[in-house]
Amino acid sequence: MQEYENETTGGRCGRSVHWALDDQYVLTISGKGPMKNYNTGEFDLAGNVPWENSQFMIVKIVIEEGVTSVGNFAFIDFASMEEIDLPSTMQKIGKGAFDRCGSLKRIQLPESLLEIEDFAFVDSGLEEVVLPAGLQKVGNGAFSFCRDLQKITILNPDCKIDDAENTLPEGALIVCHAHSAASEYAEKYGRRTEIIKE
């Protein structure tokens, strides 16, 4: 299937998913189902994303209802991107999806989200994040090197946090339930915690 990789303002980025870039450098992803994965095998510029010629200028991403995943490495190194809208249909954020998005300070994760894969937000500018109650897994290094991340709230007591010291940044306060997977992670790695009152 042709992926329209040479288009500059729009095309396909999944079997039933499309992208469009307007003159205000807002990138819109629409359709149904998962986005395509852009896996280079290394944490560097993806190089094969169809919007690569504009990625340093894109300021906002809008993912519309019906799209169920953010593809691996889809928005790596979007240095100017300050805002992203995720739909209620979103289930997975892929590997390295928002790697080195330094201008991204906040994001609202939908209740439908089930998984955040490895290194999804590594070295991003996030300052605070709430992981929704339905989230089941946070992958290895998902928030590593997020130096500005002050607080991360984990609402699902059974959410699996990958057992690596860099999965959650050292300086972040972990807000979680007592006797939860997150509290066990925090205790193991000596992190500050705040217990959610039942």
Side-chain angles (χ1 to χ4, degrees), residues 15 18 23 35 59 61 71 73 75 78 83 87 89 91 96 99-100 105 114 156 184 186 188 190:
R15 170 176 276 185
H18 296 79
D23 57 6
M35 285 182 64
V59 296
I61 299 170
F73 304 98
F75 307 118
F78 271 46
E83 186 177 355
T89 51
Q91 297 178 3
D99 182 356
R100 297 199 301 270
K105 302 299 182 184
L114 301 176
N156 179 8
E184 291 175 3
K188 179 174 181 177

Side-chain angles (χ1 to χ4, degrees), residues 15-76:
R15 170 176 276 185
S16 301
V17 183
H18 296 79
W19 67 279
L21 181 66
D22 67 19
D23 57 6
Q24 301 299 310
Y25 291 102
V26 175
L27 177 65
T28 299
I29 309 293
S30 60
K32 292 185 179 181
M35 285 182 64
K36 178 182 176 181
N37 291 322
Y38 298 94
N39 192 347
T40 62
E42 295 184 10
F43 291 92
D44 201 347
L45 295 180
N48 61 346
V49 294
W51 41 78
E52 65 175 312
N53 292 331
S54 302
Q55 70 185 70
F56 294 116
M57 295 176 284
I58 292 170
V59 296
K60 181 178 180 179
I61 299 170
V62 177
I63 302 180
E64 296 186 343
E65 294 294 325
V67 180
T68 59
S69 75
V70 177
N72 295 350
F73 304 98
F75 307 118
I76 184 174

Side-chain angles (χ1 to χ4, degrees), residues 1-14 19 36-38 47-53:
M1 180 184 295
Q2 186 177 4
E3 294 292 341
Y4 304 100
E5 299 291 10
N6 294 322
E7 296 292 339
T8 58
T9 59
R12 194 183 302 275
C13 58
W19 67 279
K36 178 182 176 181
N37 291 322
Y38 298 94
N48 61 346
V49 294
W51 41 78
E52 65 175 312
N53 292 331

Side-chain angles (χ1 to χ4, degrees), residues 40-191:
T40 62
E42 295 184 10
F43 291 92
D44 201 347
L45 295 180
N48 61 346
V49 294
W51 41 78
E52 65 175 312
N53 292 331
S54 302
Q55 70 185 70
F56 294 116
M57 295 176 284
I58 292 170
V59 296
K60 181 178 180 179
I61 299 170
V62 177
I63 302 180
E64 296 186 343
E65 294 294 325
V67 180
T68 59
S69 75
V70 177
N72 295 350
F73 304 98
F75 307 118
I76 184 174
D77 243 332
F78 271 46
S80 300
M81 194 262 292
E82 299 178 350
E83 186 177 355
I84 179 165
D85 293 343
L86 297 176
S88 64
T89 51
M90 182 61 55
Q91 297 178 3
K92 182 173 72 173
I93 296 176
K95 295 179 181 178
F98 299 104
D99 182 356
R100 297 199 301 270
C101 291
S103 297
L104 182 64
K105 302 299 182 184
R106 53 189 56 85
I107 187 170
Q108 184 168 350
L109 301 174
E111 293 298 321
S112 57
L113 189 64
L114 301 176
E115 182 176 1
I116 298 174
E117 290 199 343
D118 299 352
F119 307 106
F121 292 97
V122 63
D123 203 12
S124 72
L126 289 174
E127 296 174 346
E128 182 176 342
V129 66
V130 177
L131 305 186
L135 189 69
Q136 297 175 2
K137 179 183 177 183
V138 177
N140 180 25
F143 295 94
S144 59
F145 301 107
C146 291
R147 298 168 184 84
D148 297 327
L149 188 57
Q150 299 299 309
K151 183 167 75 170
I152 181 165
T153 301
I154 303 169
L155 296 177
N156 179 8
D158 298 319
C159 180
K160 180 182 178 182
I161 312 297
D162 190 89
D163 189 13
E165 189 171 4
N166 68 341
T167 296
L168 304 181
E170 185 176 353
L173 173 69
I174 298 175
V175 181
C176 58
H177 293 277
H179 312 296
S180 64
S183 68
E184 291 175 3
Y185 175 93
E187 182 177 1
K188 179 174 181 177
Y189 292 108
R191 304 300 171 79

